[in-house]
Structure formats: C-alpha cells, structure tokens
Amino acid sequence: EAQVTQNPRYLITVTGKKLTVTCSQNMNHEYMSWYRQDPGLGLRQIYYSMNVEVTDKGDVPEGYKVSRKEKRNFPLILESPSPNQTSLYFCASSFGGGFYGYTFGSGTRLTVV
Amino acid sequence: QKEVEQDPGPLSVPEGAIVSLNCTYSNSAFQYFMWYRQYSRKGPELLMYTYSSGNKEDGRFTAQVDKSSKYISLFIRDSQPSDSATYLCAMDEGGSEKLVFGKGTKLTVNP
C-alpha cells in the first residue's frame, strides 16, 4: 500500500529534550515536506525537500531541523523543544510538487511541557 | 492581507444539500489550485485540482477557479454524511514545493 508513515503518533516530552519524528514514504517520491497544524492557523510548512540532500526552509522553520540522506526518509528533529512547538505535525510526499498532490501521513501529535 | 483566506465555518447542512466552499487569495502568481479533505484525526487527502481558470467536475464535486477575481470554489452536490470533514483549499505558483493552504472549513452534513 502506497503510504507515508510517521512515528510516533503521539508524543509528550519535556522542554529541552531532543526528539526526532520519523517519516518514511514507499512511493519513490522526490518531494517531501513537513507541516504543522494549529487551531486558527491552519497548515504551515516547516521544511521541504526536493530531493536527496536538498532541503530548504518553509514558512516556520525556527526550532526545527531536517535531513534527507535517503529518498524515502525525511526526519524532523527538534533539538530543544519548547511549549510553543506543541502541535499536530504532518509529513507529506509528492511525485512532483503541489500540483501532483501531496500524500500525507496520519500525523504526530506532540505536546511539550 | 493573508495570502489565502478561507472562511473557517463551521458549516452545517442537511443531507442532500448543495454545499459551496470558497477561498480568496492575493498572489496573482498562483496557477495550481487544489482542494484537500481532512477527516478527524487523519491527514489531508487530495480531493481535486485545477490548473488556471475554469471548472472541473468529478462526480458530486465541482471545482471552480476565477483568476480575475482571485476566487476559488468547491461545490458538493447531494451532500452525504460521509462528506463531513474539514475542507482545505491549497494553491501554488507552478508545481512547486511551496504549497499554501487555507485554514480550512469544517463541514457537517446531518442525516
């Protein structure tokens, strides 16, 4: 089944404790992207990647890091999480960018206390 | 003015009603327009996409784009309870990675 898999689905952590949210896709997609979704603010892009070793900032990159060492994986790293990073996170992948449609993962609900 | 504006609703309609969902935008460079549907506790899924101005129909769904007015719409005919979800408009300048989403409209179709 073609899918984007994110782990974990739910995570509660403490301020300052480094964490990684993993994302993997099995569709051989070039494009991958991370979004966060917050009430009243909608989906906002954090980082995106157009190919292996090619990443760039989205609209809200502060406090996040990403890497794209393999085509299928695009982990999101929070080096020192803060409470304002409490959010619902989605990883997405696409064959050729927005027009082709992104396939989204099921989301990771992160709470930072 | 935000780049993409979408009325958050919520919108509640009886089963069988025609639903109209709308977005306005300010960036005249947008060329590709999409509608995503997001069920509760799920990721968004692509419902329809349209290039430039015009209409596109897929079953009970019709997407319209009016670039002169910077206005896009999604119509749902004969709405069903299974259509209850949040609908997000999205657009970009040209098959890029820079997809901009509206905030979403929450729709409930009552049996």
Side-chain angles (χ1 to χ4, degrees):
Chain A
E1 181 188 352
Q3 60 185 0
V4 176
T5 303
Q6 292 178 232
N7 280 296
R9 289 293 308 277
Y10 301 92
L11 179 60
I12 301 174
T13 190
V14 296
T15 299
K17 186 176 181 181
K18 180 179 178 180
L19 67 92
T20 299
V21 183
T22 64
C23 174
S24 180
Q25 51 95 1
N26 62 0
M27 295 165 281
N28 202 35
H29 283 167
E30 302 279 344
Y31 289 65
M32 296 188 76
S33 191
W34 275 103
Y35 291 86
R36 60 179 289 176
Q37 187 173 38
D38 302 287
L41 296 176
L43 275 165
R44 294 178 294 167
Q45 190 178 49
I46 303 171
Y47 268 95
Y48 61 89
S49 170
M50 295 174 69
N51 211 329
V52 174
E53 303 292 0
V54 180
T55 63
D56 207 347
K57 297 176 181 178
D59 296 318
V60 288
E62 295 79 20
Y64 304 95
K65 283 177 57 177
V66 293
S67 68
R68 188 95 181 271
K69 292 182 170 36
E70 305 166 280
K71 198 172 186 179
R72 62 172 26 234
N73 296 323
F74 191 43
L76 180 69
I77 303 157
L78 284 74
E79 294 270 2
S80 182
S82 62
N84 65 12
Q85 292 178 298
T86 292
S87 186
L88 179 58
Y89 291 87
F90 287 103
C91 179
S93 72
S94 175
F95 171 71
F99 175 72
Y100 291 89
Y102 273 88
T103 300
F104 282 78
S106 296
T108 295
R109 184 164 293 281
L110 172 66
T111 302
V112 184
V113 297
Chain B
Q1 181 186 10
K2 295 213 181 291
E3 207 164 13
V4 178
E5 301 269 12
Q6 183 176 8
D7 187 338
L11 186 60
S12 182
V13 302
E15 183 175 353
I18 296 174
V19 176
S20 172
L21 304 167
N22 312 294
C23 288
T24 60
Y25 62 94
S26 58
N27 184 354
S28 57
F30 285 144
Q31 296 187 65
Y32 296 88
F33 304 91
M34 288 142 275
W35 286 95
Y36 281 78
R37 178 174 59 194
Q38 185 176 19
Y39 290 113
S40 182
R41 304 180 190 280
K42 299 284 188 182
E45 58 177 337
L46 181 66
L47 191 60
M48 295 186 72
Y49 67 85
T50 312
Y51 170 69
S52 195
S53 286
N55 293 359
K56 186 172 184 179
E57 189 172 318
D58 183 3
R60 296 183 296 109
F61 298 88
T62 300
Q64 285 186 352
V65 175
D66 181 350
K67 289 192 72 179
S68 63
S69 301
K70 296 190 178 69
Y71 188 87
I72 71 171
S73 301
L74 177 70
F75 296 96
I76 307 174
R77 291 183 300 280
D78 188 24
S79 56
Q80 302 295 310
S82 58
D83 296 328
S84 297
T86 296
Y87 290 80
L88 303 128
C89 62
M91 42 198 85
D92 76 18
E93 296 180 11
S96 75
E97 66 291 343
K98 293 290 287 179
L99 198 57
V100 180
F101 283 87
K103 293 180 182 178
T105 300
K106 185 173 183 179
L107 170 68
T108 301
V109 181
N110 301 299

